[in-house]
């Protein structure tokens, strides 16, 4: 897809995002959603409290078990992900942890993509090891490795729609088929795509997790996680874990994320165009040794990405320069203040990050090398700036940084 073509995602998803929710059943609804900061609600009797805490009545009782801002946002996201239910958590990592705690037991096995966000890998390989959980890593974009998954044991499988930071694209349907053959559940971290570009549940995944504080919020002012679930019984177990372990969301973060959701389509459209244009431009810069972006024909999974994604190839890309850390600092200095170094992603402004010292700092140098993460690997989260300005800003900064080496 050219970055000049329109983005053909489902218009109804955008309409639902912009449409104001019903608020507390009022006939005369406010145009802007209200923030309900209550931590607890009054009850008419012990029976009403019992029904509320059991989830039978739909009434609110205690913020940890649900609140108006959480319920309004979760209801929208469940529809957008084609899920039976959506559960919100304090942040993306608590969403993944809640799923792991609900599904895994001592002696069970989790297969995780070899290239995940660093904390996700740490959770399964290091932290859950003390709980007796066995973790196996595999290349989710390699069909031979996916076929090996079929033989199990595999109680839980975690992959990313587009891997962090090299943007490799797994065949979600194929991984789902292999996971189910092994009697396991497939979880897809969809943070790099959101529901606009991919709905993993429609491709066979059992659960979707997202860090909503990234692109869905889009303004770096909230932290929130999502678990979208096909099965209502499993969703109830996860919601119980969220309550028991104190992983619940805050009203303010839900409000800010809900507001961001309403402009998500506009921001993603521009950000995808910018990423496509920047990736094409960087591929033609002599000093850039490689560019990772699914929209490029040179990307190993370009055809699969074209089939699996809709409306664009995402706003994330990475590129590698044959430089060491000191020269990386020079590049970041040349980009500042217009393009800041930020160890996160999904802002309305374009930002850059350095995987070797941020998202994947927990890996050894040898482990990073196996994943193709070098000192000169730069991850870019494209925002909504004018496209040509963004391209010029990067190419000029690279030229100046190399001129000073």
């Amino acid at each position: 897809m050219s970055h000049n073509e329109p983005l053909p995602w489902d218009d109804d998803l955008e309409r639902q995002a912009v449409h104001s929710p019903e608020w507390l059943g009022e006939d005369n609804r406010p145009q802007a959603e209200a923030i309900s900061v209550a931590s607890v609600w009054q009850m008419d009797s012990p029976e009403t409290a019992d029904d509320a805490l059991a989830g039978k009545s739909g009434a609110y009782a205690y913020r940890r078990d649900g609140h108006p801002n959480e319920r309004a946002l979760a209801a929208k996201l469940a529809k957008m992900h084609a899920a039976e239910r959506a559960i919100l958590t304090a942040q993306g990592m608590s969403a993944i942890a809640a799923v792991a705690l609900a599904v895994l037991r001592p002696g069970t096995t989790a297969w995780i993509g070899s290239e995940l966000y660093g904390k996700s890998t740490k959770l399964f390989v290091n932290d859950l090891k003390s709980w007796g959980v066995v973790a196996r890593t595999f290349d989710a974009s390699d069909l031979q490795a996916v076929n090996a998954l079929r033989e199990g044991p595999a109680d839980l499988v975690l992959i990313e729609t587009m891997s962090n930071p090299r943007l490799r694209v797994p065949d979600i349907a194929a991984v789902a088929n292999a996971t189910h053959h092994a009697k396991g559940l497939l979880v897809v971290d969809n943070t790099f795509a959101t529901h606009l570009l991919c709905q993993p549940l429609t491709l066979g995944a059992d659960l979707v997790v997202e860090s909503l504080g990234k692109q869905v919020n889009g303004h770096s002012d909230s932290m929130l996680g999502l678990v979208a679930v096909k099965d209502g019984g499993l969703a109830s177990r996860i919601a119980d874990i969220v309550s028991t372990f104190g992983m619940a969301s805050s009203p303010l973060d839900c409000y800010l994320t809900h507001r961001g959701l309403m402009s998500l389509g506009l921001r993603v459209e521009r950000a995808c165009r910018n990423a496509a244009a920047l990736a094409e431009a960087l591929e033609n810069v002599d000093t850039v040794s490689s560019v990772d972006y699914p929209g490029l024909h040179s990307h190993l999974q370009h055809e699969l990405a074209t089939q699996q994604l809709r409306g664009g190839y995402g706003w994330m890309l990475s590129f590698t320069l044959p430089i060491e850390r000191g020269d990386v600092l020079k590049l970041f200095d040349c980009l500042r203040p217009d393009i800041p170094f930020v160890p996160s992603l999904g802002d309305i402004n374009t930002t850059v990050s350095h995987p070797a010292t941020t998202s994947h700092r927990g890996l050894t140098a040898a482990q990073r090398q196996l994943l193709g993460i070098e000192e000169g690997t730069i991850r870019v989260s494209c925002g909504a700036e004018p496209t040509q300005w963004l391209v010029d800003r990067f190419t000029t900064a690279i030229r100046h940084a190399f001129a000073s080496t």
Side-chain angles (χ1 to χ4, degrees):
M1 170 179 285
S2 166
H3 59 270
N4 292 318
E5 295 178 11
L7 303 183
W9 52 52
D10 186 348
D11 288 343
D12 193 49
L13 289 179
E14 284 194 88
R15 183 197 60 77
Q16 290 181 47
V18 174
H19 184 72
S20 298
E22 291 189 11
W23 185 254
L24 301 179
E26 297 172 0
D27 291 329
N28 185 22
R29 295 189 296 271
Q31 176 63 10
E33 181 185 8
I35 303 176
S36 175
V37 297
S39 61
V40 67
W41 282 258
Q42 297 178 9
M43 299 283 108
D44 292 333
S45 68
E47 288 74 18
T48 57
D50 188 37
D51 286 346
L53 291 168
K56 295 178 180 178
S57 66
Y60 302 105
Y62 194 58
R63 186 195 291 175
R64 186 175 58 207
D65 299 298
H67 52 83
N69 295 99
E70 179 265 345
R71 190 173 294 178
L73 178 57
K76 272 190 178 181
L77 290 172
K79 290 180 181 179
M80 294 174 179
H81 280 279
E84 176 71 20
R85 181 177 175 185
I87 300 128
L88 301 186
T89 67
Q91 53 186 270
M93 281 308 304
S94 51
I96 296 174
V99 171
L101 291 171
V103 174
L104 298 173
R105 298 290 182 271
T108 53
T109 301
W111 288 55
I112 62 171
S114 54
E115 187 183 318
L116 296 178
Y117 170 57
K119 288 289 185 181
S120 298
T121 300
K122 178 180 180 295
L123 172 65
F124 285 91
V125 173
N126 297 342
D127 301 321
L128 289 176
K129 183 178 181 180
S130 63
W131 293 53
V133 173
V134 178
R136 296 186 59 176
T137 59
F138 75 112
D139 184 350
S141 62
D142 183 288
L143 289 181
Q144 187 174 352
V146 173
N147 286 332
L149 166 63
R150 295 176 63 86
E151 305 308 316
D155 299 279
L156 188 71
V157 177
L158 173 64
I159 62 174
E160 295 174 338
T161 309
M162 291 175 275
S163 67
N164 184 356
R166 296 292 308 281
L167 284 302
R168 295 188 173 101
V169 180
D171 185 331
I172 294 175
V175 178
N177 183 276
T179 301
H180 297 154
H181 187 272
K183 310 300 182 185
L185 296 172
L186 174 61
V187 185
V188 178
D189 186 333
N190 199 47
T191 301
F192 275 23
T194 78
H195 61 276
L196 284 180
L197 301 185
C198 187
Q199 289 177 310
L201 294 183
T202 67
L203 299 174
D206 300 286
L207 305 99
V208 168
V209 293
E210 285 185 8
S211 177
L212 297 175
K214 304 300 192 296
Q215 186 67 269
V216 175
N217 167 267
H219 294 80
S220 297
D221 56 9
S222 79
M223 296 186 73
L224 206 64
L226 165 73
V227 185
V229 194
K230 274 183 177 178
D231 178 79
L234 177 57
S236 295
R237 293 213 312 273
I238 294 170
D240 186 57
I241 291 289
V242 170
S243 175
T244 302
F245 281 77
M247 300 174 176
S249 61
S250 82
L252 178 59
D253 290 273
C254 288
Y255 167 83
L256 292 170
T257 303
H258 201 161
R259 186 175 65 172
L261 177 65
M262 294 183 180
S263 65
L264 180 64
L266 297 171
R267 291 183 286 105
V268 167
E269 183 170 10
R270 172 61 72 86
C272 285
R273 293 183 192 280
N274 282 350
L278 180 59
E280 290 174 10
L282 291 173
E283 205 172 33
N284 292 312
V285 175
D286 292 339
T287 48
V288 174
S289 54
S290 65
V291 181
D292 298 302
Y293 183 66
L296 295 174
H297 290 282
S298 59
H299 191 279
L300 290 177
Q301 293 92 37
H302 173 70
E303 290 186 9
L304 172 63
T306 301
Q307 298 167 11
Q308 194 163 268
L309 303 174
R310 59 188 183 193
Y313 297 92
W315 59 91
M316 299 295 301
L317 64 99
S318 65
F319 66 96
T320 298
L321 295 163
I323 56 178
E324 296 302 320
R325 188 171 301 181
D327 293 322
V328 170
L329 298 179
K330 293 178 183 177
L331 174 61
F332 288 168
D333 284 340
C334 289
L335 287 169
R336 275 192 293 262
D338 299 322
I339 312 293
F341 168 37
V342 175
S344 189
L345 59 104
D347 198 285
I348 194 168
N349 300 315
T350 297
T351 61
V352 291
S353 186
H354 186 238
T357 55
T358 57
S359 60
H360 291 72
R361 64 185 299 274
L363 301 182
T364 66
Q367 289 172 325
R368 289 194 295 270
Q369 187 175 22
L370 284 174
L371 298 177
I373 301 172
E374 303 176 14
E375 283 292 332
T377 298
I378 312 299
R379 192 185 71 183
V380 184
S381 173
C382 289
E385 298 91 347
T387 303
Q388 191 57 51
W389 175 89
L390 187 67
V391 169
D392 292 344
R393 194 69 190 80
F394 269 89
T395 53
T396 299
I398 291 171
R399 185 172 65 251
H400 286 173
F402 266 83
S404 62
T405 59

